[in-house]
Amino acid sequence: MNLKYGKQQLELEEDRLPEFKILRPNEQVGLDNPRQAVEDSLENPIDSRPLHKLAKERQPEEVVIIVNDISRPTPYEVLLPPLLNKLEAAGITNEQITFIIATGIHDPHTKEQNREVFGTELLNNYEFISHDPDNNLVDLGELSSGNQLYLNKKVVEADLLLTLGVIAPHYFAGFSGGRKSILPGVAGRESIEFNHSRMVDLLGNLPPIEK
């Protein structure tokens, strides 16, 4: 029996196990045309006007798109081309767009990792920057949690800011993606460490397990 392991498969030697059960995931059938689905969503977004109309009205000088790092399996080869086409339709050039990779306090991407996640064509036409949690930050003040919020300076100063990532279950935030692209994605180290320390508080407030 072969089991999925990362991008490969491992063989399970069943005869070495005296007794075992197999729990299989409830895998879903993918979309027949995922790129068309993205284009339709951009043209008819939920509770918002279409992106190209918003961009055309705002006429931004600098657009920043926050994207996931290699630790998140995000299909950017499907997601990014339709989005970039909408920005181009609004009159925004490649030179006006910067991608900030939301590494949080992970290591910055290598060139090889950028190529693996985003592809050579995008790398040749756009600027990609790995977030640095220790430099080029802006202090946005104290949050209601008591956390001092430091964010990537380029993100804060963008005329138009977009986040594009995967939404997946997260062990203490509920779901990753969305606002997590900001904190911890492009926040300062101090802000990230304070935020992550709250996980201990959350675990401490869980009800005891009944025996």
Side-chain angles (χ1 to χ4, degrees):
M1 178 190 305
N2 289 328
L3 300 177
K4 294 180 180 179
Y5 185 81
K7 297 182 179 179
Q8 302 175 343
Q9 292 189 349
L10 294 178
E11 184 177 354
L12 174 64
E13 299 177 16
E14 300 175 45
D15 56 351
R16 295 182 60 187
L17 301 175
E19 182 179 347
F20 68 92
K21 294 181 179 180
I22 300 174
L23 179 64
R24 298 188 182 277
N26 183 20
E27 296 190 5
Q28 302 297 309
V29 178
L31 297 172
D32 292 333
N33 191 339
R35 178 160 177 169
Q36 185 61 54
V38 174
E39 292 175 354
D40 293 343
S41 296
L42 289 171
E43 193 63 36
N44 300 286
I46 299 173
D47 197 26
S48 174
R49 285 176 295 163
L51 174 61
H52 68 278
K53 291 184 178 180
L54 292 173
K56 195 167 185 178
E57 291 171 4
R58 188 169 296 186
Q59 295 185 336
E61 289 295 322
E62 185 171 7
V63 177
V64 169
I65 303 175
I66 300 176
V67 288
N68 291 337
D69 68 3
I70 198 169
S71 68
R72 303 287 187 270
T74 310
Y76 283 121
E77 70 279 3
V78 174
L79 297 175
L80 281 175
L83 184 143
L84 293 171
N85 288 340
K86 293 296 183 184
L87 293 177
E88 182 181 358
I92 297 172
T93 65
N94 295 9
E95 292 74 22
Q96 291 175 276
I97 299 173
T98 302
F99 288 91
I100 301 294
I101 304 168
T103 50
I105 53 176
H106 298 170
D107 291 335
H109 269 197
T110 64
K111 291 181 179 179
E112 291 73 20
Q113 287 174 326
N114 274 344
R115 191 174 297 108
E116 179 181 346
V117 176
F118 305 110
T120 301
E121 183 177 354
L122 287 177
L123 293 179
N124 289 341
N125 287 281
Y126 297 91
E127 182 179 16
F128 284 80
I129 301 174
S130 288
H131 169 66
D132 183 345
D134 300 308
N135 294 290
N136 298 318
L137 304 171
V138 175
D139 184 354
L140 295 182
E142 186 174 299
L143 301 176
S144 60
S145 63
N147 193 357
Q148 197 73 19
L149 182 59
Y150 297 95
L151 286 185
N152 184 290
K153 187 173 187 290
K154 201 167 187 66
V155 167
V156 173
E157 295 179 350
D159 301 311
L160 178 62
L161 177 64
L162 306 173
T163 66
L164 186 62
V166 65
I167 298 176
H170 190 274
Y171 60 100
F172 79 88
F175 287 90
S176 65
R179 59 189 178 184
K180 276 189 86 268
S181 294
I182 304 296
L183 177 60
V186 293
R189 186 178 300 274
E190 178 182 327
S191 303
I192 295 171
E193 290 176 347
F194 183 100
N195 183 67
H196 281 44
S197 70
R198 300 189 71 200
M199 177 178 60
V200 179
D201 298 331
L202 291 172
L203 294 175
N205 290 326
L206 291 176
I209 299 175
E210 296 184 3
K211 297 182 179 180

